[in-house]
Amino acid sequence: MVKVYQSTVLNAPAERVWRDLRDFNGLASWHPLIVLSRIEKDHPADKVGCVRNFQLKDGSRIREQLLSLSDFDYTCTSAILDGPPDLSDHVAILRLFPVTEGNRCFIEWSAEFECPPQKAAELTETVGEGMIQTGLTALKKRYG
Amino acid sequence: MVKVYQSTVLNAPAERVWRDLRDFNGLASWHPLIVLSRIEKDHPADKVGCVRNFQLKDGSRIREQLLSLSDFDYTCTSAILDGPPDLSDHVAILRLFPVTEGNRCFIEWSAEFECPPQKAAELTETVGEGMIQTGLTALKKRYG
Amino acid sequence: MVKVYQSTVLNAPAERVWRDLRDFNGLASWHPLIVLSRIEKDHPADKVGCVRNFQLKDGSRIREQLLSLSDFDYTCTSAILDGPPDLSDHVAILRLFPVTEGNRCFIEWSAEFECPPQKAAELTETVGEGMIQTGLTALKKRYG
Amino acid sequence: MVKVYQSTVLNAPAERVWRDLRDFNGLASWHPLIVLSRIEKDHPADKVGCVRNFQLKDGSRIREQLLSLSDFDYTCTSAILDGPPDLSDHVAILRLFPVTEGNRCFIEWSAEFECPPQKAAELTETVGEGMIQTGLTALKKRYG
């Protein structure tokens, strides 16, 4: 199992950022690598168990299931159902913490997955830099 | 703030019990004190933020909002919106843990709330025994 | 039970800050309100269960027991054994999280305690501002 | 990274079991596979960072460091410094939860480690069955 962890500080209150991030179908509106997203079966995006089906800029497609959503502690957990070849058992956790000093919040984004050992370095890069760090950088710009 | 905590062991696997407990509208089917429940606005019962509106045997009515639901770690958090007089800021957390030895699971049910000091003993009894312990006892019977 | 929570971001890596904060006897070296501290019975300061006995600038004295210490997730929990009148069951939790972007860390400091209702506002101020916020402000300066 | 998780229920209160388990040097007194244990440098066994050096029945020797100890939530985390060949980055977490119904407690024992893929099955057996399950079975007998 490979683990990836990235974190940063955003210049907006946790409640404000959570309004955006709790939308499991909202990824395309802020993540630069994602161009189109929909929730399968027309489920609400905050129905635990729903599946988002989104397209990357490179044309590939990923299906992810919402495993948990918490308005209580600003946390979202999801699993990849169909994704990059050689990657399996991918679970990602995104969490916000209020920074009481200043209108800011701390954001953690981590992922765990299995892959063939010879693919570990490449997929760690794809997930950790391509998906997670690119997403965090975009969020930093979004909230100034 | 008053805290209540009860826990026990159920004779069924966590996945099996979770199938029942994750239904935020299912309380009336297993909790002896609850006779009728519906989710307001016809929302799905696993949509985070939905409100369940249920009636107790004594005729009183409680409205609770789903704050978090996790198929990942079998956890459900909810807050009372309208409930017993003198009780406020009530948040309850229910969590299952698999017991790998035997087809069993460990269940925790806790709650926190505010109330006038002179009401603390009575409401601790109402919440801790009336709601939580009665519920756990019913679950123990249900799973034999 | 009263709850207090403060958090901020420090300009040093979590491992660096933890080297200082894990010293349960080190409070006097960085907290402006604390002038003298010793560990009772000459115990090592990282022995779980040890008691620190420290003096505040105003001359009062507090005894706190180390309930938990984690080099694994940079967490320290302590309970007041003898402290301000009217305050009881005081437990404080201090936790660091690495901020991977930049050599920074996120720090949370929270406390829970019981007190007579008419003392809640005053003690919330004493604990939340006097002890916790003053400490966090000092740490911010310390790490530039 | 390989993950192992085992859990069971013990017939003694959490506080009682914790008195035994918090002794980082006490393994030899209850774990059937372990014959001799000492804490290096004569450190107290509850000093976070101390190293226990113990011998298995088969004559091999393991050195483990105490990463965290919590009297607050009955948790102990440790890392193997020197152990079985091919096993690295081994971290184990042991945690007790009170079962309020009956004088019992729920115990979780999990471990994570790295190893060459061709050794994963064998080491999962060694750690999950040999060490953890054997330990839990002994604890069950100990507390009747």
Side-chain angles (χ1 to χ4, degrees), chain A residues 39-47 49-51, chain B residues 44:
Chain A
I39 303 291
E40 298 185 354
K41 300 184 185 175
D42 281 328
H43 282 150
D46 48 8
K47 177 183 157 76
C50 77
V51 175

Side-chain angles (χ1 to χ4, degrees), chain D residues 84-105:
Chain D
D86 295 326
L87 180 145
S88 61
D89 297 318
H90 180 285
V91 172
I93 304 181
L94 198 149
R95 184 165 184 186
L96 301 179
F97 298 77
V99 178
T100 60
E101 193 208 39
N103 285 316
R104 300 177 295 165
C105 65

Side-chain angles (χ1 to χ4, degrees), chain C residues 12-21 74 96 98-99 103-105:
Chain C
E15 313 87 68
R16 172 68 193 86
V17 177
W18 183 243
R19 271 214 308 276
D20 294 340
L21 297 191
Y74 305 133
L96 300 179
V99 178
N103 287 316
R104 299 178 294 165
C105 65

Side-chain angles (χ1 to χ4, degrees), chain B residues 23-29 34-40 45 51-56 61-64:
Chain B
D23 178 4
F24 195 57
N25 196 31
L27 215 49
S29 71
I34 292 164
V35 286
L36 266 176
S37 176
R38 63 181 181 88
I39 303 291
E40 298 185 355
V51 175
R52 69 179 169 197
N53 188 318
F54 59 92
Q55 196 181 316
L56 297 176
R61 187 162 285 284
I62 294 179
R63 296 175 66 238
E64 280 188 341

Side-chain angles (χ1 to χ4, degrees), chain C:
Chain C
M1 181 157 285
V2 178
K3 292 184 177 192
V4 175
Y5 174 93
Q6 306 277 7
S7 59
T8 191
V9 179
L10 304 177
N11 281 322
E15 313 87 68
R16 172 68 193 86
V17 177
W18 183 243
R19 271 214 308 276
D20 294 340
L21 297 191
R22 91 184 287 287
D23 179 4
F24 195 57
N25 197 32
L27 214 50
S29 71
W30 58 267
H31 199 296
L33 298 184
I34 292 163
V35 285
L36 266 175
S37 176
R38 63 181 180 88
I39 304 290
E40 299 185 353
K41 301 185 186 176
D42 280 329
H43 283 149
D46 48 7
K47 176 183 160 76
V48 174
C50 77
V51 175
R52 68 179 170 197
N53 188 318
F54 58 92
Q55 197 181 315
L56 298 176
K57 266 196 163 163
D58 66 10
S60 62
R61 186 163 286 284
I62 293 179
R63 297 175 66 238
E64 279 187 341
Q65 185 163 39
L66 183 62
L67 297 189
S68 87
L69 189 69
S70 176
D71 291 339
F72 185 60
D73 51 12
Y74 305 133
T75 306
C76 172
T77 311
S78 58
I80 291 184
L81 300 182
D82 297 301
D86 294 325
L87 181 145
S88 62
D89 295 319
H90 180 285
V91 172
I93 304 180
L94 198 150
R95 184 165 184 185
L96 300 179
F97 297 79
V99 178
T100 61
E101 192 209 38
N103 287 316
R104 299 178 294 165
C105 65
F106 169 64
I107 179 170
E108 287 189 322
W109 195 344
S110 61
E112 289 186 4
F113 57 88
E114 301 280 358
C115 67
Q118 69 276 18
K119 285 285 192 170
E122 179 192 331
L123 284 168
T124 298
E125 176 79 15
T126 304
V127 173
E129 295 305 313
M131 182 56 67
I132 297 182
Q133 190 53 54
T134 303
L136 291 179
T137 300
L139 288 173
K140 274 200 81 87
K141 272 187 205 144
R142 185 182 177 96
Y143 300 108

